[in-house]
Amino acid sequence: MRHLMSPLDLSVEELDTLMDLAGDIEKHPDKYAHICDGKRLATLFYEPSTRTRLSFEAAMMNLGGQVIGFSSADSSSASKGESVADTIRVVSCYADICAMRHPKEGAPLVASMASSIPVINAGDGGHQHPTQTLTDLLTIRSLKGHFDNLTIGLCGDLKFGRTVHSLIEALVRYNNVKFTLISPEELRVPSYIREDVLKKNHVEFQEVERLEDALPDLDILYMTRVQKERFFNEEDYVRMKDFYILDKQKMELAKDDMYILHPLPRVNEIATEVDSDPRAAYFKQAQYGVYVRMALILTLLEVKLPC
Ligand code: NCD
């Protein structure tokens, strides 16, 4: 039985197969409409979510399966003090696969060790968010056709942004991918990303503060929200929340084929006037999230695929 805790749990070849499957699902949804009849997905969300939870639920329903779960810790027995290990033991009796989001780093991993069904990490604190990465990779591949030789800018809260950590880990496995890490000093990537992921893999990267300086060279700009809920004090958050605002004027500095991605939710970091720019890909990206989660559910459940 396989779980998904980090994007590295899938090899580059497996990722390719998964993205091909997502592509086929997009083209021929009817072929997959009953493939999970009688199967159940549990969504155990101890932290707020819109896209991740609903796209998982939509994914399972599109496959003919059913969904059970909770959308906040308050409405689960966690509020009575139950451990994730006990919860998953019980949920294993009710469902075939589970997606878990938790504010504590490593909680889905702890759950996976006690689980008799596949567990998918749907975001653990400021650590990892592998299914967002699958979404991001599918989006980049469909826009650019490949990953090799791309210069990727990641901008905003690189310290607490789990989507950033997972995306970097996944992308360093391709050839000659370069990173420009754009953040205020206080929100730079954690040292394990800099040392154990980037430097160890001999990946070219630079850390800069000004978005304007970085923009002209980028092939992809991955914007992120300042992660309010991970700050220890309100003052620091207020100081940094509007550090970056991508607007039409700044977009003039970017290449004509530089696409903007954002895991969403957006707060102020992308002005709404940018939404109509053909390079704004963040809503399309959210749509890809459903296809890739459908492909992931089929893969982890080892469902026999239609020809
Ligand atoms: C992200 C998350 O939860 O980490 N959202 C998402 O899953 N699409 C990004 C964020 O909350 O800023």
Side-chain angles (χ1 to χ4, degrees), residues 47-52 101 122-123 125 128-129 132 160-163 222 224-227 229-230 262-266 269 293:
E47 231 190 24
S49 168
T50 300
R51 269 149 298 274
T52 306
R101 167 170 289 190
Q128 296 274 340
H129 193 345
Q132 181 63 46
F160 298 115
R162 55 194 173 196
T163 63
Y222 193 89
T224 62
R225 163 183 80 91
V226 175
Q227 306 275 302
E229 65 277 32
R230 317 248 179 256
H262 191 310
L264 304 177
R266 147 184 61 189
E269 58 281 357
R293 289 184 173 98

Side-chain angles (χ1 to χ4, degrees), residues 32-288:
Y32 299 88
H34 292 288
I35 197 164
C36 281
D37 279 357
K39 300 272 186 212
R40 252 185 230 154
L41 164 78
T43 51
L44 311 183
F45 276 57
Y46 297 82
E47 231 190 24
S49 168
T50 300
R51 269 149 298 274
T52 306
R53 186 171 61 83
L54 297 185
S55 66
F56 261 117
E57 298 188 355
M60 191 46 145
M61 289 177 192
N62 289 346
L63 296 167
Q66 291 173 315
V67 180
I68 54 172
F70 53 82
S71 57
S72 79
D74 299 347
S75 61
S76 79
S77 284
S79 63
K80 300 180 187 166
E82 187 173 51
S83 68
V84 288
D86 281 3
T87 303
I88 195 71
R89 248 177 234 137
V90 174
V91 170
S92 296
C93 310
Y94 307 151
D96 303 283
I97 186 164
C98 150
M100 177 183 284
R101 167 170 289 190
H102 203 286
K104 283 209 183 108
E105 283 84 0
L109 179 65
V110 171
S112 71
M113 292 189 285
S115 178
S116 47
I117 58 173
V119 177
I120 301 167
N121 177 4
D124 61 329
H127 186 218
Q128 296 274 340
H129 193 345
T131 62
Q132 181 63 46
T133 296
L134 301 180
T135 305
D136 303 339
L137 293 177
L138 183 62
T139 310
I140 297 173
R141 196 178 81 158
S142 65
L143 294 170
K144 290 286 184 188
H146 61 91
F147 302 107
D148 294 349
N149 306 313
L150 293 179
T151 300
I152 314 263
L154 298 121
C155 177
D157 188 345
L158 309 187
K159 180 179 182 184
F160 298 115
R162 55 194 173 196
T163 63
V164 167
H165 309 153
S166 290
L167 185 57
I168 294 176
E169 285 204 346
L171 283 171
V172 298
R173 296 191 288 180
Y174 297 92
N175 292 322
N176 194 33
V177 174
K178 299 188 196 79
F179 294 95
T180 305
L181 307 174
I182 311 151
S183 74
E185 179 70 27
E186 294 96 321
L187 297 180
R188 286 165 63 180
V189 288
S191 62
Y192 81 91
I193 295 286
R194 187 178 306 106
E195 302 300 324
D196 302 340
V197 182
L198 293 165
K199 290 192 183 165
K200 212 177 190 167
N201 287 291
H202 311 290
V203 175
E204 204 179 311
F205 72 98
Q206 51 167 337
E207 296 187 89
V208 302
E209 202 170 88
R210 273 171 52 86
L211 176 58
E212 293 85 335
D213 297 344
L215 266 170
D217 295 324
L218 303 179
D219 298 309
I220 296 285
L221 172 60
Y222 193 89
M223 290 296 291
T224 62
R225 163 183 80 91
V226 175
Q227 306 275 302
K228 182 178 185 192
E229 65 277 32
R230 317 248 179 256
F231 276 75
F232 293 112
N233 72 67
E234 177 83 12
E235 248 170 69
D236 287 346
Y237 169 69
V238 169
R239 197 159 43 80
M240 271 172 284
K241 74 183 170 74
D242 292 330
F243 206 93
Y244 298 107
I245 299 180
L246 181 66
D247 55 17
K248 264 191 170 164
Q249 204 186 342
K250 291 200 188 83
M251 281 305 290
E252 284 173 19
L253 300 168
K255 292 182 193 169
D256 290 343
D257 61 350
M258 184 213 76
Y259 292 100
I260 314 159
L261 272 63
H262 191 310
L264 304 177
R266 147 184 61 189
V267 188
N268 290 327
E269 58 281 357
I270 304 180
T272 51
E273 63 182 18
V274 177
D275 297 357
S276 55
D277 189 305
R279 296 167 290 182
Y282 29 93
F283 290 114
K284 181 81 184 143
Q285 185 183 354
Q287 197 182 332
Y288 282 127

